[in-house]
Amino acid sequence: MRETFGEKVFKVMLDAGFTCPNRDGKIATGGCTFCSARGSGDFAGSRRDDLVTQFAKIRDLQHQKWPEAKYIGYFQAYTNTYAPVEELREYYEVILQQPGVVGLSIATRPDCLPDNVIEYLAELNQRTYLWVEMGLQTVHEETSTLINRAHDTQCYLDAVAKLRKHNIRTCAHIIYGLPGETHEMMLETGRAVSQMDVQGIKIHLLHLMRKTPMVKQYEAGLLRFLEKDEYVKLIVDTLEILPPEMIVHRLTGDAPRDLLIGPMWSLKKWEVLNAFDAELKARDTWQGKKWKASEGV
C-alpha cells in the first residue's frame, strides 16, 4: 500500500444492511454454521447509522492507531453484491466520494455475481483500487455440507474466472479448524488456492462464537479446537506452498472477547503473529519456498 499510495492505508469496515441468500431462503436458511449474527461483520459500523456516518466513526477509531493514512472502504458484513446494481452503485459510490478513500474491498459469495454486477465491478476496477473477497472456506464438499456453505467449489472457481476476465483483484478466504478436517485436508485447501488465479488470500482460524449454529455442532462433539502450535505449523506449511507474489491479507483473525467460546489463545494476537515469525526463522523458510505451478486448478 505504501508503494502504491505513498502512505499507510487501512480498511474502514462497513455494514451496508445486506442479508445473504444463505439466510433468507433464496438458496438456504440458517447461514454458514460459523457465521455470527452480524454476518462476519462484528467489527464493522452499526447498520443503524447511514454509511457516511459509519465510515466517519470507524475511520476516526482507526486513526487512534494510525494517525496518518488513506482508506479502503470495506463492505464486510453479509453478502455485499446481493442487491440490484442500482442499489449497489448508490452504496459504493457514496464511499468512494469520501475524502482520502483510494479504493474498495467488497466481500461477497460466488453465487451472487450475476453478469450485470460483474460489469459494474469491471467499471469500478477501471476507476479505483478494487478487491473482491469471497469465502471459499474449504475445498472439501463434505465439510461444505456440514457448515451449510450452500455452494460447491466449482461455483467458486467459476466466479473467480468471471472476475479475472476483467482483471479484478480477487481474495480467497479459507478457514482452518473446520469440523472434521485433518491437517492434510486443510493444507489441501491451501494448496488448491495456491493454484487458483487469485491475487490474495485470507487465512482464518476458526472462531467459535456464541449464538452461532456451530455451537450445536461443538456440543455434539463434531468440532475440536486447534492448538496454537498446531495452527502455527499449519500456517507456515501453507505459506511455503503459496506463490511468492500472492498477497497474504490475513494469517489469523479477531473475534469479540465476549462472544468467543474458543480457542481462547487466539485473543493474544501478537503472540500468535510472533509465533509465525519464530517458526519461519526456525525452519529457514519463507512464502513460496515450496510453491510449484500446476495445471488443472
Side-chain angles (χ1 to χ4, degrees):
M1 293 294 99
R2 287 191 177 97
E3 287 176 3
T4 304
F5 298 108
E7 62 184 285
K8 172 76 180 179
V9 178
F10 63 71
K11 284 182 171 178
V12 178
M13 295 82 73
L14 303 167
D15 184 339
F18 292 99
T19 182
C20 176
N22 195 13
R23 287 177 180 257
D24 68 8
K26 181 176 180 181
I27 292 172
T29 58
C32 297
T33 61
F34 59 82
C35 195
S36 70
R38 292 203 60 194
S40 295
D42 296 276
F43 295 101
S46 170
R47 61 172 53 192
R48 291 190 294 270
D49 294 329
D50 63 68
L51 281 174
V52 174
T53 302
Q54 279 187 49
F55 180 87
K57 287 181 177 179
I58 299 295
R59 176 201 63 201
D60 292 348
L61 189 65
Q62 297 274 72
H63 268 312
Q64 294 175 21
K65 187 173 182 180
W66 300 297
E68 298 294 328
K70 293 187 171 76
Y71 324 111
I72 290 174
Y74 182 21
F75 287 83
Q76 181 181 32
Y78 298 94
T79 303
N80 291 277
T81 59
Y82 189 42
V85 170
E86 298 74 21
E87 197 173 321
L88 300 180
R89 189 180 295 273
E90 185 179 323
Y91 295 149
Y92 301 163
E93 299 294 343
V94 74
I95 296 302
L96 283 173
Q97 291 166 10
Q98 302 309 303
V101 170
V102 295
L104 296 177
S105 192
I106 298 167
T108 190
R109 287 172 59 90
D111 50 11
C112 291
L113 290 168
D115 289 346
N116 61 343
V117 170
I118 292 285
E119 289 170 11
Y120 175 46
L121 292 174
E123 176 200 323
L124 278 176
N125 195 46
Q126 296 296 315
R127 294 193 276 124
T128 193
Y129 181 78
L130 178 68
W131 280 90
V132 173
E133 304 189 23
M134 296 189 296
L136 172 64
Q137 322 311 2
T138 179
V139 293
H140 302 286
E141 302 303 340
E142 63 270 31
T143 310
S144 172
T145 300
L146 193 60
I147 65 175
N148 197 39
R149 186 179 64 181
H151 66 75
D152 62 15
T153 301
Q154 189 58 50
C155 173
Y156 194 90
L157 296 173
D158 291 344
V160 170
K162 288 168 71 175
L163 291 164
R164 294 301 298 147
K165 183 179 178 182
H166 300 282
N167 295 315
I168 296 169
R169 297 174 193 85
T170 304
C171 179
H173 288 229
I174 63 174
I175 299 176
Y176 284 162
L178 291 170
E181 294 210 343
T182 64
H183 183 102
E184 183 51 41
M185 288 174 72
M186 290 181 262
L187 204 56
E188 195 174 329
T189 293
R191 194 174 293 113
V193 173
S194 79
Q195 302 298 323
M196 292 180 190
D197 185 16
V198 296
Q199 291 62 56
I201 185 172
K202 278 188 177 178
I203 309 173
H204 298 267
L205 169 66
L206 177 73
H207 291 117
L208 180 63
M209 291 195 282
R210 302 181 196 282
K211 300 181 181 179
T212 59
M214 191 170 277
V215 173
K216 290 183 179 178
Q217 295 176 325
Y218 177 62
E219 292 170 346
L222 297 174
L223 175 64
R224 176 187 70 83
F225 294 141
L226 295 179
E227 300 292 339
K228 177 181 168 183
D229 289 349
E230 187 180 11
Y231 186 68
V232 168
K233 287 180 171 58
L234 189 57
I235 287 293
V236 175
D237 287 348
T238 304
L239 289 174
E240 287 182 326
I241 61 173
L242 293 179
E245 70 276 7
M246 184 177 285
I247 299 171
V248 180
H249 293 235
R250 181 176 289 283
L251 290 170
T252 185
D254 301 282
R257 182 180 292 269
D258 59 333
L259 295 179
L260 184 65
I261 296 173
M264 301 309 291
W265 56 260
S266 67
L267 291 170
K268 297 179 179 179
K269 190 172 180 181
W270 276 109
E271 286 187 13
V272 180
L273 294 174
N274 288 337
F276 298 147
D277 287 341
E279 181 71 10
L280 286 162
K281 289 175 183 174
R283 292 194 202 180
D284 187 26
T285 195
W286 53 86
Q287 180 183 339
K289 184 177 183 179
K290 297 181 180 179
W291 179 73
K292 293 181 180 178
S294 65
E295 301 296 327
V297 179

